[in-house]
Amino acid sequence: METVGTLTERLAPALAASRYLQRELGARPWLAPLLEASIDAPMGAEAMRDFLAREAPDEAQLKRGLRRLRTWVICHTAARDLLGLAPLAEVTETMTRLAEVCIAHAHDQLHTGLAERHGAPACADGTPMRMVIIGMGKLGGRELNVSSDIDLIFAYPEDGDTTGPRPLSHFDFFTRLGRQIIAAIGEVTEDGFVFRVDMRLRPNGDSGPLVSSFDALEHYFIAQGREWERFAWIKARPLCGERLDELADIVRPFVFRKYLDFGAINAMRALHAQIRAQVARREMATNIKLGPGGIREIEFTAQVFQIIRGGRDAGLQIKPTMQVLEALADRGVLDYGAVTAMGDAYVFLRRLEHRLQYLDDAQTHDLPATPEDRARIAIAMGFADEAAMAAELEHHRTVVSASFQAACGDPNEADHALDELWDATITPEHVANRFEAMQFRNPTAAADRLAQMREGHRYRQLPESIRGRVDALIPRIIEGCAAQPNPDDTLARILTLLDAINRRGAYLALLQQYPQALRRLIELMSASSWAADYLTTHPILLDELLDARQLEEAPDWPAFAHHLREQLDAAEPDIERQMDLMREQHHAQVFRILHQDIAGKWEVEAIGDHLSALADVVLEETLRQCWRKLKQRHRETPRFAVIGYGKLGGKELGYASDLDIVFLYDDEDPSASENYARLAQRLLTWLSARTSAGTLFDTDTRLRPNGESGLLVSGIDAFRKYQDESAWLWEHQALTRARFVAGDAEVGAKFERTREELLRRPRDLTKLAEEVIAMRRKMLDQHASRDASFKVKDDTGGLIDFEFIIQYLVLGHAHAHPKLVANLGNIALARISGELGLVDAAHAKAAADAYRTLRRMQHRLRLNGEKARLPEGAAEAEREAIRTLWMDVFGRPA
């Protein structure tokens, strides 16, 4: 009695908050000693299993032992929580452990009993088969509350029959076993119950079979699985059984689509609306789980983004709600401040939920009806009175409602002022008049374009749900286009995009759901026709418009390389998925650079640097992936290097540049040449093949020794011999812009030494100048403008003139001035040449500035889909600066 008295004094605050705890201590003499001995530490699974080994050693004592365990664990948890000894995470984890231990113990005993009578189920290969019990909801997420139901689904790997004295089909065996487990856990006896068991989440709910084979489950997902079930299966977690990888392979594609599934937002809204209607009908406004700003809205916010993005981001295929929200904040999908506020609200609401349930061990989420009980709950929550708790509760619910609405609300609920312009009853003339008032330059053409889309076969054939999204978007698109300096072009470009994606509801849902993404899209479409075409070709990039932070951050190429490698390794050995992943990641990086470029963040040199660095990463990872997939490779890592020439070598890549590459190796193994040829061919295929995600690069290998007639790969010594004895001058000119970009660093270093030796070879300057001029004249004959316009790249005073000047200076003077060998870019080499006195420093600077300006002009023209050609008289100052430097160097025009 002394022990009970001492314990009662210690538990006084808990007893004041829990009539259930009072009743159990009063009715069960065995309970107080257990609490006395265990209350100072969290309850572990081992202690629970030890208890059941004593109290429920066989089937006859199973129900009683399970219920006594439940009583001890609930009272232990309630006491620790109410005394301030247990944080929320301990409470939910303890309840989850209780469910896991009880289910496992009941399953093992009952399976054994059934197997003795009917024989044990076995797979076709003879291995034992056990039922897979799947925990759903809060059990699956390890978030059980103290009076929770447990949502279960029963499955088994394959059909067949047992081999005992009274055989059963696997279906019948596991159906019987499932019923026995439900009774053992959920049946109310004189000792109470363990958990209420809810099986309604199984295929076809209450009308479906109690158990499903893996094949039946997969067929159900494919043929009948509904959107709300995808949300339910997010938290699904097998608690026992075998062949769980097979089960995961069935569930994963049902829950997580490979694409960005923004259409899931509408499904979630519909489910949320049903819950809201139920709450209103039953007057459940005080329900802290289902009511406005309640626990369910926090869970929905996490789950909807898991559904949208989890197929492409395996890091979101996790179960605990707060971990998901934190991961979304890390990815920039949700604001850190909003996630922190929701986290605070989640802890508050879950603690309040538990105190409501400690009161009488009732499965309730409603605040008590009586003032006395509300005051009791407030004190248990640490407040002085009910009013203080109510104010805090209202604050948290307001925060949750606002965050939920911001993340998942429908921004297009209200009518739009321009809705009439998409109305089929409005004449094109009326639309044209409105367009004219909005400063469209050719309002009649714009109105006709809009009418063609509305009356077109593609739009009319759309499903009603998708057509509704288009209908909501068009007025907002018109409004956004009218705000641009080129509204006609912008509208035409974005309608072309819509025409390309209008059967892909997820993209339309993205633009409908996120006005900021639509706004950024319109601005991008206005700024660049090339960007518009790129997005139309790769609409998956629309997702990039959601996160302004990612769009504005400078690229971190080492981090990107690490992330890309992790993703590709996770997809091994699925080569198709790996190729798609690489394309998706490459396109996303290009798009981010493009967005920053249009915003004016980068000079043209920096854009070339970034695009070249991106290509280097892609080449390095492509090489690694292609080598590991060669079946007959003769070494673990290849002695093989990729050499970049041209724009890649000079770090001047543009958005649509080819890759000029050469393959070298340094390996004496007899099979090296053949293996590296296979590697090179596979690498080229990987880069240029068109998959569902598009292409990476067009490649050009004609700069290899002997060009198209030469071997695809060369040994480094053979490469040097060719360059020494057989290469043309233009091949040495190309070497001035060559560099090691991927592969074995030692082979790369050997190439760099070879390149330096070749470039530093003394040359006759007069003969060199004649050959360079002759080469330039040949190019002018082939490519120069035939009218008075100026081709920025090809005409005299253009980009090629400046590049030939630099190549001549490198080839002619590097033997005396090693600085010129460094691959620093044409502008830096011009400055160095001026500093060395090889040319007039002022003329070199003026020509370099002109080269930069011309490259910028070329870049901007191409961004808007135009050829790099300027009208007569344009850029005359820049041309003259380059011509002047040419005359300084060569003494006569080309």
Side-chain angles (χ1 to χ4, degrees):
M1 295 300 294
E2 184 179 346
T3 298
V4 174
T6 303
L7 181 65
T8 301
E9 292 173 10
R10 186 176 180 190
L11 293 183
L15 293 169
S18 174
R19 288 188 287 264
Y20 168 74
L21 188 56
Q22 295 173 27
R23 288 197 301 268
E24 294 303 304
L25 277 172
R28 306 185 190 277
W30 54 267
L31 180 60
L34 283 175
L35 289 179
E36 180 75 22
S38 63
I39 197 169
D40 289 318
M43 178 79 72
E46 195 60 37
M48 299 181 199
R49 284 192 284 266
D50 289 344
F51 182 92
L52 289 178
R54 296 191 306 271
E55 298 283 335
D58 52 39
E59 238 183 281
Q61 300 178 73
L62 176 62
K63 291 181 180 179
R64 181 172 181 271
L66 291 174
R67 283 149 183 75
R68 285 166 68 95
L69 174 63
R70 191 253 188 194
T71 299
W72 176 33
V73 173
I74 294 281
C75 290
H76 173 276
T77 303
R80 282 183 56 79
D81 189 2
L82 293 168
L83 293 176
L85 301 175
L88 173 63
E90 180 188 318
V91 176
T92 55
E93 179 63 21
T94 301
M95 295 310 302
T96 301
R97 285 194 197 119
L98 173 64
E100 291 171 340
V101 169
C102 289
I103 290 168
H105 191 81
H107 170 274
D108 292 348
Q109 283 198 357
L110 296 169
H111 177 100
T112 300
L114 269 176
E116 288 173 354
R117 295 188 292 276
H118 301 286
C123 300
D125 62 2
T127 57
M129 182 192 300
R130 297 172 74 80
M131 185 160 72
V132 179
I133 301 179
I134 304 164
M136 307 288 283
K138 286 186 166 60
L139 173 56
R142 309 197 72 84
E143 298 168 328
L144 273 186
N145 61 56
V146 292
S147 290
S148 180
D149 290 356
I150 53 173
D151 296 292
L152 301 179
I153 291 177
F154 299 146
Y156 60 96
E158 63 185 58
D159 285 313
D161 296 295
T162 66
T163 57
R166 290 181 290 166
L168 293 173
S169 68
H170 289 173
F171 175 81
D172 287 338
F173 182 96
F174 290 120
T175 298
R176 293 188 187 190
L177 177 58
R179 288 174 181 155
Q180 291 179 9
I181 290 172
I182 292 170
I185 301 290
E187 188 177 286
V188 179
T189 73
E190 62 184 13
D191 296 299
F193 65 96
V194 189
F195 288 96
R196 288 168 289 268
V197 180
D198 191 334
M199 300 296 298
R200 289 175 296 176
L201 291 178
R202 69 185 187 268
N204 291 306
D206 284 338
S207 64
L210 189 65
V211 299
S212 297
S213 68
F214 285 3
D215 282 346
L217 187 63
E218 183 173 29
H219 183 266
Y220 176 82
F221 285 156
I222 294 170
Q224 296 176 260
R226 290 158 290 184
E227 285 294 314
W228 69 262
E229 290 179 287
R230 296 175 62 202
F231 286 87
W233 277 87
I234 285 177
K235 290 185 182 294
R237 179 170 61 91
L239 307 178
C240 60
E242 289 87 30
R243 293 167 59 174
L244 302 183
D245 288 344
E246 290 179 42
L247 177 64
D249 290 340
I250 292 169
V251 173
R252 190 181 301 111
F254 171 65
V255 178
F256 300 109
R257 307 294 196 241
K258 286 187 177 180
Y259 53 83
L260 290 162
D261 190 7
F262 284 93
I265 289 183
N266 287 336
M268 184 278 304
R269 285 200 198 106
L271 183 58
H272 183 254
Q274 292 175 12
I275 293 171
R276 280 282 178 92
Q278 179 186 25
V279 167
R281 279 197 310 272
R282 298 184 181 180
E283 299 181 351
M284 297 165 61
T286 61
N287 188 293
I288 64 168
K289 176 182 178 182
L290 302 179
I295 296 167
R296 184 55 55 84
E297 289 188 355
I298 300 174
E299 293 170 341
F300 272 173
T301 303
Q303 289 169 359
V304 73
F305 288 109
Q306 285 184 280
I307 291 285
I308 290 171
R309 298 171 176 276
R312 291 184 64 206
D313 185 349
L316 293 176
Q317 295 178 17
I318 54 180
K319 306 188 188 304
T321 299
M322 286 315 303
Q323 288 184 27
V324 175
L325 291 174
E326 288 162 7
L328 290 167
D330 290 341
R331 288 156 172 78
V333 178
L334 295 177
D335 178 74
Y336 271 111
V339 168
T340 299
M342 278 196 287
D344 293 342
Y346 184 76
V347 172
F348 178 89
L349 291 169
R350 292 301 308 271
R351 291 182 68 245
L352 178 56
E353 170 188 49
H354 290 150
R355 277 146 185 77
L356 296 176
Q357 294 170 352
Y358 292 145
L359 198 58
D360 291 303
D361 189 26
Q363 187 192 22
T364 181
H365 297 87
D366 290 308
L367 295 175
T370 68
E372 295 80 12
D373 280 350
R374 290 197 296 273
R376 193 190 303 262
I377 296 295
I379 292 169
M381 285 290 290
F383 292 95
D385 52 39
E386 178 193 347
M389 184 185 75
E392 183 75 4
L393 173 60
E394 182 60 26
H395 164 72
H396 286 302
R397 294 179 72 166
T398 300
V399 165
V400 171
S401 286
S403 297
F404 177 79
Q405 185 63 29
C408 307
D410 188 349
N412 305 132
E413 286 181 330
D415 293 337
H416 193 278
L418 299 180
D419 280 343
E420 66 163 359
L421 299 185
W422 188 241
D423 189 329
T425 64
I426 302 298
T427 65
E429 292 76 18
H430 177 76
V431 175
N433 290 336
R434 293 290 303 273
F435 278 172
E436 184 176 17
M438 288 186 280
Q439 306 302 311
F440 278 73
R441 293 184 177 85
N442 192 338
T444 300
D448 288 345
R449 177 72 176 84
L450 201 64
Q452 289 169 13
M453 181 175 178
R454 187 183 60 237
E455 301 302 324
H457 177 75
R458 289 175 65 87
Y459 170 75
R460 289 180 173 274
Q461 294 298 312
L462 292 175
E464 185 64 35
S465 60
I466 294 181
R467 199 182 318 143
R469 290 173 184 164
V470 176
D471 295 344
L473 281 170
I474 292 293
R476 291 159 178 84
I477 287 171
I478 295 171
E479 179 183 45
C481 292
Q484 304 307 311
N486 54 343
D488 302 72
D489 291 340
T490 307
L491 181 62
R493 292 167 187 171
I494 201 164
L495 290 181
T496 299
L497 171 66
L498 284 185
D499 198 48
I501 66 172
N502 63 13
R503 290 191 175 275
R504 302 164 84 170
Y507 296 138
L508 297 172
L510 181 157
L511 296 175
Q512 182 188 7
Q513 175 65 22
Y514 296 102
Q516 74 274 23
L518 180 61
R519 183 180 67 253
R520 292 188 187 113
L521 171 65
I522 292 170
E523 291 169 353
L524 204 62
M525 290 282 183
S526 171
S528 167
S529 64
W530 192 91
D533 291 343
Y534 195 68
L535 266 173
T536 302
T537 305
H538 307 294
I540 197 171
L541 296 173
L542 290 170
D543 176 57
E544 296 291 320
L545 296 170
L546 294 180
D547 187 0
R549 182 187 62 181
Q550 279 192 335
L551 284 173
E552 294 166 5
E553 285 180 347
D556 181 343
W557 298 119
F560 170 70
H562 178 74
H563 175 67
L564 179 62
R565 176 165 293 196
E566 280 188 335
Q567 285 203 310
L568 293 174
D569 285 348
E572 181 67 23
D574 186 346
I575 187 171
E576 181 180 349
R577 181 60 188 143
Q578 288 174 320
M579 293 177 78
D580 282 347
L581 276 170
M582 185 172 280
R583 282 152 178 75
E584 290 165 5
Q585 291 294 315
H586 174 262
H587 296 156
Q589 294 299 322
V590 169
F591 183 74
R592 292 173 191 177
I593 297 168
L594 174 63
H595 187 274
Q596 294 172 6
D597 177 10
I598 290 171
K601 182 169 183 175
W602 303 115
E603 288 291 341
V604 67
E605 295 96 328
I607 294 164
D609 286 343
H610 283 309
L611 290 172
S612 300
L614 173 58
D616 292 356
V617 172
V618 169
L619 284 165
E620 184 68 51
E621 195 54 38
T622 299
L623 174 59
R624 189 177 77 94
Q625 293 295 333
C626 289
W627 181 250
R628 79 196 294 186
K629 295 181 191 303
L630 282 184
K631 294 180 180 178
Q632 304 299 323
R633 60 184 184 273
H634 60 283
R635 56 186 301 131
E636 188 61 31
T637 55
R639 296 272 299 162
F640 180 93
V642 182
I643 309 302
Y645 277 75
K647 291 188 181 298
L648 174 62
K651 297 184 181 180
E652 293 180 349
L653 273 189
Y655 293 114
S657 295
D658 295 353
L659 298 187
D660 292 299
I661 48 180
V662 168
F663 303 121
L664 302 178
Y665 69 92
D666 186 19
D667 192 332
E668 298 299 326
D669 190 281
S671 60
S673 176
E674 184 178 355
N675 279 346
Y676 292 141
R678 288 198 192 99
L679 172 62
Q681 192 58 61
R682 187 181 285 259
L683 187 147
L684 292 172
T685 299
W686 185 295
L687 293 173
S688 61
R690 178 171 294 278
T691 74
S692 60
T695 62
L696 282 169
F697 295 101
D698 289 330
T699 56
D700 191 336
T701 61
R702 289 175 294 178
L703 287 171
R704 67 186 187 265
N706 293 306
E708 289 182 293
S709 63
L711 296 173
L712 186 58
V713 297
S714 299
I716 188 70
D717 294 333
F719 175 80
R720 180 193 176 94
K721 186 176 187 326
Y722 172 83
Q723 294 289 342
D724 270 336
E725 300 175 2
S726 307
W728 296 81
L729 172 67
W730 64 265
E731 292 179 277
H732 286 180
Q733 286 181 257
L735 268 180
T736 65
R737 284 156 57 88
R739 65 186 176 89
F740 164 67
V741 296
D744 185 89
E746 291 184 13
V747 180
K750 198 166 185 178
F751 163 77
E752 295 292 352
R753 290 193 297 271
T754 299
R755 171 182 174 273
E756 181 174 353
E757 292 168 6
L758 289 165
L759 294 181
R760 294 193 63 196
R761 175 189 297 170
R763 291 173 172 84
D764 182 299
L765 292 181
T766 301
K767 181 180 178 182
L768 177 63
E770 289 175 353
E771 290 188 57
V772 170
I773 291 170
M775 178 72 67
R776 183 70 184 108
R777 283 175 179 164
K778 184 177 180 180
M779 294 180 69
L780 285 168
D781 290 342
Q782 293 176 343
H783 302 294
S785 177
R786 304 304 176 198
D787 55 30
S789 65
F790 170 46
K791 293 174 74 173
V792 173
K793 176 182 177 182
D794 297 306
D795 285 345
T796 59
L799 299 176
I800 290 180
D801 271 7
F802 185 77
E803 290 166 359
F804 268 45
I805 292 168
I806 300 303
Q807 290 164 13
Y808 167 80
L809 292 171
V810 172
L811 292 172
H813 298 282
H815 69 283
H817 302 289
K819 285 183 179 180
L820 294 172
V821 173
N823 195 330
L824 302 174
N826 292 314
I827 291 172
L829 290 171
R831 174 182 54 77
I832 292 169
S833 297
E835 292 172 351
L836 293 172
L838 304 178
V839 293
D840 181 280
H843 289 173
K845 182 180 184 307
D849 290 343
Y851 179 74
R852 179 185 288 113
T853 300
L854 292 178
R855 280 191 64 200
R856 190 181 296 127
M857 290 177 175
Q858 178 192 52
H859 183 68
R860 293 299 166 192
L861 287 167
R862 288 178 173 172
L863 274 182
N864 278 296
E866 302 174 40
K867 294 182 178 179
R869 185 190 292 265
L870 298 173
E872 181 180 5
E876 192 54 44
E878 286 76 19
R879 296 184 72 182
E880 185 58 32
I882 291 175
R883 288 194 194 108
T884 298
L885 186 62
W886 180 279
M887 293 300 294
D888 286 353
V889 172
F890 296 111
R892 62 183 188 275

